[in-house]
Amino acid sequence: MVDIIALDTPTLGDRSYLVTDGDVAFVVDPQRDIDRFLTLAQQRGVCVTDVFETHIHNDYVTGGLALAQATGAAYHVNAADTVSFDRQPISDGDEVQIGSAMRVRALTTPGHTFTHLSYVLETPGRPPAVFTGGSLLYGSTGRPDLLGTVHTEELAHAQYGSARRLATELPDDAEIYPTHGFGSFCSATQAQGEQSTIGQEKQTNPALTQDEQDYVHSLLQGLDDYPAYYAHMMSLNTAGPQAPDLSPPEQADAPELRRRLESGEWVVDLRTRTAFAAGHVPGTLNFGADGNFVTYLGWLIPWGMPLTLLGDTVEQVAEAQRELVRIGLDRIEAAATGDPHEWSGDTPLESLAVAGFADLATVLHHRPVVVLDVRRNQEWATGHLDGAVHIPLHDLLDRLTDVPSGEVWVHCRSGYRASIAASILAAAGRHVVVIDDDIDRAAATGAPFRAAAQHSAVTR
């Protein structure tokens, strides 16, 4: 009996897969922290003989080469990809026999990238399974714009053709196992569900229910910004990344933290936004580990900037470090855990005022304040507060001077990104109030929220 085991990386919206017949196993699209796969294989008592890459990823650093080296497995990468390491080149129609029961066939499915492959697993006693990477997702497809706008429309048409190829060549009961689509910015729209088949996608997936021009038009209209760190992933992956160093960073005391802050380095507080608002070291930035920490930190931090982490516990810092190496941020200079009073030494802690949309509605009746909306462009288009200044969070560092003078009330959709933005503004010396509230409740509080008449935006 063949088992397909998903290893989720929810903070990046991705899944990797270990597939085993009980004796041997193969892995599809492993993340960089390969100890998860090695542990799972050991627990199952199986030997990993093959590692398959659906594409050269834009959203994380692959663990494919490191896993293949650690296990002696064959590493299958598209023969058309130019890489700097030895691999087992694979092309459309090639088949790989794994153990006595599993046969994997490669299918060319361009669209997310030009050289994207899907892999069809055929084994006795069960329907085919197809590992679709960033091609056909649950209710969606992978976005086609990560290689640059000059290629976007061509890749969108290719993505349509690839989805149609899968639907034509595979039976309706073929099970679909995508890599992206669980909150990943590699997904063109938010994918839905936890499992699907070709037959189900034929009923619901726009690539299979719309004609080509309608699909391409709606796909291109729905694309929004993606994290800045994506620009570095392909070069890291084609170079052949090694397994990460997850040894604990050096511990920093209060004088060391102050020195790092004064030198312009990033010192990031991983605690919740509530804890950060109650008291934090002046100049530190809040990227709470309880939210989409790695995406937004990776998006905003200048590439190569030395980074120090502050956390409640050693375990919290270790998990953050694991998240960061997945996107190639290996340089953790130092860390501190425990009580923020110990991190600040003789320097008093600072706090942030926290409010809701009802408080904002009341304040606006009495005095002028700057309302700053840090949601993304498509979110803004669905509706926003009258008079608000719109600067997406990922643009804020470059547009601090665009924030009008005065007291700034900053909001996002639910409060997480607002806290990041508020910490950036506070570090720059601004008087800030964090709106820690759900924007869906804004209109009911009396805040001047204007909803768009029609929209098709996707919020991640």
Side-chain angles (χ1 to χ4, degrees), residues 327-344:
I327 62 168
L329 292 177
D330 293 3
R331 190 178 176 187
I332 312 300
E333 297 290 340
T337 57
D339 187 341
H341 290 91
E342 297 176 356
W343 307 338
S344 62

Side-chain angles (χ1 to χ4, degrees), residues 100-331:
S100 60
M102 299 185 292
R103 187 172 71 251
V104 175
R105 175 165 51 95
L107 293 179
T108 298
T109 48
H112 189 46
T113 67
F114 283 107
T115 57
H116 190 284
L117 294 171
S118 296
Y119 297 101
V120 180
L121 167 65
E122 295 171 326
T123 186
R126 63 168 295 149
V130 57
F131 300 92
T132 56
S135 184
L136 187 66
L137 313 181
Y138 296 157
S140 185
T141 52
R143 63 190 299 163
D145 60 329
L146 299 182
L147 301 184
T149 55
V150 67
H151 301 299
T152 298
E153 185 166 355
E154 178 185 359
L155 285 170
H157 284 281
Q159 190 73 291
Y160 181 85
S162 293
R164 294 284 168 142
R165 180 187 185 187
L166 291 169
T168 300
E169 296 190 15
L170 297 175
D172 282 356
D173 63 352
E175 299 166 352
I176 298 171
Y177 294 92
T179 300
H180 302 318
F182 311 95
S184 169
F185 280 85
C186 278
S187 178
T189 59
Q190 186 60 62
Q192 303 292 330
E194 290 298 311
Q195 60 186 13
S196 189
T197 63
I198 290 292
Q200 289 173 307
E201 293 304 310
K202 285 180 177 179
Q203 302 300 314
T204 60
N205 197 301
L208 302 177
T209 61
Q210 298 178 349
D211 66 41
E212 186 167 354
Q213 290 303 323
D214 287 343
Y215 163 79
V216 170
H217 176 74
S218 61
L219 179 63
L220 298 183
Q221 288 292 109
L223 295 174
D224 203 351
D225 293 327
Y226 53 84
Y229 67 83
Y230 278 27
H232 304 279
M233 296 302 98
M234 183 168 289
S235 60
L236 290 172
N237 286 328
T238 56
Q242 297 300 306
D245 178 4
L246 291 173
S247 56
E250 294 184 5
Q251 292 295 297
D253 58 14
E256 174 71 6
L257 293 175
R258 178 50 48 194
R259 184 192 68 77
R260 291 187 178 280
L261 284 165
E262 290 175 351
S263 69
E265 296 183 11
W266 276 37
V267 178
V268 167
D269 192 327
L270 301 168
R271 296 175 302 144
T272 66
R273 57 185 182 268
T274 301
F276 183 85
H280 58 269
V281 177
T284 57
L285 306 178
N286 180 222
F287 291 80
D290 60 327
N292 206 352
F293 143 79
V294 68
T295 294
Y296 289 108
L297 179 56
W299 200 332
L300 270 68
I301 191 170
W303 200 254
M305 169 68 72
L307 175 63
T308 294
L309 300 177
L310 308 178
D312 288 314
T313 64
V314 171
E315 291 76 18
Q316 185 181 60
V317 169
E319 183 57 32
Q321 183 180 5
R322 179 180 290 271
E323 295 278 7
L324 290 167
V325 299
R326 289 171 178 158
I327 62 168
L329 292 177
D330 293 3
R331 190 178 176 187

Side-chain angles (χ1 to χ4, degrees), residues 53 76-81 87-91 108 115-117 119:
E53 210 75 79
H76 303 279
V77 178
N78 195 323
D81 284 319
R87 90 288 202 193
Q88 183 67 46
I90 191 167
S91 302
T108 298
T115 57
H116 190 284
L117 294 171
Y119 297 101

Side-chain angles (χ1 to χ4, degrees), residues 354-387:
V354 179
F357 284 108
D359 301 306
L360 175 64
T362 300
V363 165
L364 289 174
H365 285 298
H366 299 286
R367 57 188 171 88
V369 298
V370 177
V371 179
L372 176 63
D373 184 338
V374 296
R375 295 175 302 154
R376 291 186 296 279
N377 292 327
Q378 286 195 357
E379 294 175 274
W380 167 268
T382 67
H384 52 267
L385 294 168
D386 282 342

